[in-house]
Amino acid sequence: MLQSEVPAPATYSQYVPDILGEGFEQLTITPADSPDYEGDVFSTLVRYQAAAPTTRAVLYVHGFNDYFFQRELAQNYGAHQFNFYALDLRKYGRSIRPHQRPNNVRDLREYFHDLHAALARLREEGNTTIVLSGHSTGGLITSLYVREHQEQAGIAALVLNSPFLEMHQPWLLRKIGIPLMRRVGARWPDLQLKTALSAVYGESLHRSYRGEWDYNLEWKPNQVFGMNAGWLRAIRWGHAQIRRSLNIKVPVLVLHSDRTARRGHPEDVFETDVVLNVAHIRELSPWLGSRVTEHAVEGAIHDVFLSREKVRTEAYRVLFEWLGRVLPAA
C-alpha cells in the first residue's frame, strides 16, 4: 500500500543500548508493508531523552548515503527540553540487511510506513508536541509526508536542513539525461546507474581524513552507494511534487548554507554546500507552504549541523529561537 491511507500497526522490538553510547537506545521497527520486493524490511528508531520530563519531541530523518550518528544534535535538543528520536530508514545504517541493496527504493512513499510507525511510537511514549526534521533527502521525504498526512500525523512544525528539492547537475543532464533515466527506471528499477559524486565531502567530515566526526564508513562511505534507476525515478517524482506546491500548513524552517561550492576549489568544502545548489533551495522553499522561514547560515556546509563549531553554534541559536516562537509554551 503506497497511497495516503494509514496502514495497519507496525511491530516493535524492545529498546536496547545503541551504538552511540550512554543515553542512547534503539528499537527495531517492522513496518506494516513488510516484506517488499527485496524481502523483509526494517527501520530503526534511536532515542535520547531529555533530562527532565517533557511532552515535546523531535523525530529526525537522515539524508542519502547517511544514517543517524550526530550525538551533538541529540544533546542540544535534549538540553532544550525535547526528547530526541532519529529514524534510520529501511535499507540505511542500522536498518540495512544482507539481502538488501543500500538505499534501494522505488517510491518515496515506501518510507511513509517507517514514519507512521515511528510517530505512533513517539505518541505512545507521551509526546504530544512533535517536530519532524529532515536533512537533504530526508528533508524531501519529510516534506512530502507532511503534505500527505498533515491532518492525522499531528506534526507541530517541520525543520529542514539543506533539503534536497532539486538535482545539482548541469542543465543538459537535468533536462535530458535524468528524464531519460527516469523513464528507464519505470521498467528496470534495479538497473544500477553510474554515480559521479566525489568523495571530497565525506573526507571533509570523517576524522580519519580531514574532518572532526566519527561514524561507520560502511554505513556512510566517502564514495557514495550506487543509485538504481528506480531510486532516481522516485526522487524526480518527489521533486515534481515540490514544484506543484505542497501547501504545508504547519510552520517550516529551512536552514542551508549561504553559498554553493565553486568548481575547482576543494577548500570550499569546509564552508559551503558541495552537494546541493543553495539557489535551488532558495527558489523552491516558498513552494513548501505558507509559513516558511528560510535562513542561510554563513559558512555552513551541506549538513548545517556538521559545520565548524562557530557556524553550527549559530545554526542552533536560529533553530531554538525559531522553535520558541512557533511552538506553544512548554
Side-chain angles (χ1 to χ4, degrees):
M1 176 173 55
L2 293 176
Q3 305 305 316
S4 298
E5 60 181 292
V6 178
T11 59
Y12 308 87
S13 72
Q14 298 297 313
Y15 278 108
V16 298
D18 186 65
I19 55 175
L20 292 181
E22 184 178 357
F24 290 88
E25 306 169 281
Q26 64 160 275
L27 63 76
T28 300
I29 298 171
T30 304
D33 66 323
S34 180
D36 73 352
Y37 39 85
E38 289 187 299
D40 291 338
V41 293
F42 306 93
S43 55
T44 309
L45 187 66
V46 180
R47 179 174 73 175
Y48 180 87
Q49 293 181 296
T54 178
T55 57
R56 290 184 166 196
V58 60
L59 177 63
Y60 170 84
V61 181
H62 56 79
F64 175 74
N65 197 68
D66 205 358
Y67 75 103
F68 173 68
F69 61 90
Q70 295 92 332
R71 291 182 184 88
E72 182 183 277
L73 182 66
Q75 291 163 349
N76 269 277
Y77 270 104
H80 286 83
Q81 288 303 294
F82 285 85
N83 293 320
F84 181 88
Y85 297 80
L87 184 63
D88 275 14
L89 298 167
R90 60 186 66 193
K91 308 177 190 180
Y92 284 91
R94 299 165 179 81
S95 306
I96 297 174
R97 298 297 186 268
H99 62 275
Q100 297 169 334
R101 288 189 185 182
N103 311 350
N104 188 20
V105 68
R106 297 178 182 177
D107 189 314
L108 294 183
R109 289 168 290 186
E110 293 171 31
Y111 297 129
F112 292 3
H113 296 283
D114 302 0
L115 285 163
H116 278 313
L119 289 166
R121 185 69 187 216
L122 266 65
R123 288 189 288 268
E124 287 175 11
E125 294 183 9
N127 299 291
T128 57
T129 301
I130 299 175
V131 177
L132 188 58
S133 178
H135 166 57
S136 199
T137 303
L140 174 62
I141 293 165
T142 52
S143 297
L144 295 170
Y145 178 83
V146 174
R147 187 275 302 268
E148 292 205 16
H149 298 285
Q150 51 192 327
E151 298 301 329
Q152 64 265 49
I155 302 300
L158 179 64
V159 174
L160 304 179
N161 170 4
S162 301
F164 181 25
L165 307 181
E166 180 56 276
M167 307 291 292
H168 181 28
Q169 299 292 343
W171 184 91
L172 192 63
L173 183 58
R174 283 192 291 120
K175 297 299 182 181
I176 298 177
I178 290 174
L180 175 61
M181 288 300 99
R182 181 183 177 185
R183 290 195 291 273
V184 169
R187 185 164 185 179
W188 296 289
D190 292 328
L191 177 69
Q192 289 227 281
L193 305 178
K194 182 178 179 180
T195 59
L197 298 177
S198 169
V200 67
Y201 178 61
E203 291 175 357
S204 75
L205 297 178
H206 201 278
R207 69 182 186 185
S208 296
Y209 298 88
R210 299 192 294 162
E212 62 176 290
W213 306 102
D214 187 24
Y215 50 84
N216 187 332
L217 286 167
E218 292 186 3
W219 291 347
K220 182 179 173 61
N222 293 335
Q223 193 65 58
V224 304
F225 290 116
M227 303 174 187
N228 292 350
W231 175 89
L232 181 61
R233 182 170 183 265
I235 291 294
R236 293 308 281 169
W237 171 84
H239 290 165
Q241 307 315 303
I242 299 291
R243 290 189 176 275
R244 294 188 180 107
S245 184
L246 297 191
N247 196 30
I248 292 172
K249 301 293 194 302
V250 301
V252 182
L253 174 65
V254 180
L255 295 172
H256 58 82
S257 178
D258 61 326
R259 291 190 298 135
T260 296
R262 299 168 293 169
R263 295 187 185 277
H265 291 76
E267 290 307 309
D268 279 0
V269 73
F270 295 107
E271 54 190 27
T272 67
D273 193 327
V274 299
V275 178
L276 297 180
N277 188 336
V278 299
H280 293 152
I281 300 175
R282 288 190 178 107
E283 173 196 353
L284 294 168
S285 290
W287 292 94
L288 296 171
S290 58
R291 303 173 65 187
V292 177
T293 301
E294 179 213 331
H295 187 93
V297 181
E298 184 177 358
I301 63 172
H302 177 56
D303 188 333
V304 172
F305 296 108
L306 297 182
S307 303
R308 288 171 170 165
E309 183 176 6
K310 180 179 179 181
V311 176
R312 63 183 189 265
T313 297
E314 171 63 10
Y316 284 124
R317 183 193 66 78
V318 172
L319 167 63
F320 291 112
E321 285 187 1
W322 181 82
L323 287 172
R325 293 194 303 271
V326 303
L327 295 182

